[in-house]
Amino acid sequence: MPERKPRKDAARNREAVLAAADALFARRGSPEDITMADVAAAAGVGKGTLFRAFGDRPGLLRALYEARLEPVREAVETGPPPLGPATPPRQRVPALLDAVLCFKLDNGRLALALEESGSGSPYQAEHYQRWHGLLRTVLEQIPGLTDGDFTAHALLAATRADLVAYLAGQERLPRERMRAELAQFTARVLGPDSPQGPTAEG
């Protein structure tokens, strides 16, 4: 029993850190302005606690990203159509991409910070590999589509955080226009009988 209290403290500290980081990212203009010391101070914990829980700044970004993404993941794994597993593949693929796009639009600064943080390619990130694997699996259920692996990469490229930020910022492309363009692009890739407009909640 003596280990139970530290575990509860660790869980409480983790929740406090994620809440503090979430609030800081919502207020600051650039994620690069936020340091681990800022997050520790806002959460009321020591920097050592922060590093033990998350390892480093990219680890904290990943944890915050995953926490925000959890409702989408639940909808994808166990929810009803159009995101859930019972959805026919031609309807599910555009819905999944629309959900990714809407998430990037709603969490743009965090998504950009995560894609730009750490070493190596963003394509090696766990969240990217998970989306790619899911899309590939669904695409391979579509008759006549012969390369689900490449097609999944190509479709996800249209939802990269830096592209989404550029289109929303410099190009000033409205949210609904961006969703419609992505849906039309996806329909062209998938071929006839594919949905032509946004299909997921956003």
Side-chain angles (χ1 to χ4, degrees):
M1 297 299 179
E3 293 184 6
R4 188 169 294 173
K5 185 176 184 297
R7 285 201 193 111
K8 287 182 179 178
D9 288 345
R12 187 164 54 247
N13 285 341
R14 183 180 178 85
E15 290 175 3
V17 167
L18 288 176
D22 199 39
L24 285 172
F25 272 101
R27 291 198 302 267
R28 299 283 180 90
S30 170
E32 296 304 318
D33 294 339
I34 301 170
T35 66
M36 294 288 270
D38 292 333
V39 176
V45 301
K47 284 179 65 176
T49 298
L50 202 61
F51 282 100
R52 281 193 299 273
F54 300 99
D56 53 16
R57 188 173 181 276
L60 173 60
L61 293 176
R62 285 192 297 271
L64 181 56
Y65 189 92
E66 293 295 334
R68 289 188 181 181
L69 189 61
E70 185 60 28
V72 179
R73 184 185 303 119
E74 289 181 0
V76 168
E77 293 178 353
T78 60
L83 290 177
T87 313
R90 282 191 181 276
Q91 284 73 52
R92 196 178 187 202
V93 169
L96 291 170
L97 289 164
D98 186 63
V100 174
L101 174 62
C102 289
F103 184 82
K104 296 284 182 73
L105 286 167
D106 293 336
N107 299 275
R109 285 177 292 186
L110 176 59
L112 270 175
L114 185 60
E115 288 187 3
E116 294 170 356
S117 67
S119 58
S121 166
Y123 300 106
Q124 300 299 318
E126 181 183 352
H127 66 89
Y128 180 86
Q129 293 180 0
R130 188 165 59 239
W131 279 115
H132 176 264
L134 174 62
L135 271 175
R136 182 187 62 225
T137 298
V138 179
L139 285 164
E140 288 172 349
Q141 299 169 13
I142 299 177
L145 202 152
T146 58
D147 194 343
D149 187 79
F150 176 80
T151 304
H153 281 303
L155 290 172
L156 282 172
T159 69
R160 274 184 57 105
D162 52 359
L163 175 61
V164 172
Y166 174 78
L167 292 175
Q170 295 190 43
E171 293 290 320
R172 297 186 179 180
L173 199 64
R175 179 190 186 97
E176 292 309 311
R177 171 74 181 280
M178 205 182 304
R179 295 177 68 195
E181 294 281 1
L182 177 62
Q184 291 168 18
F185 171 67
T186 305
R188 289 195 296 271
V189 172
L190 298 185
D193 305 320
S194 297
Q196 297 292 315
T199 53
E201 293 296 327

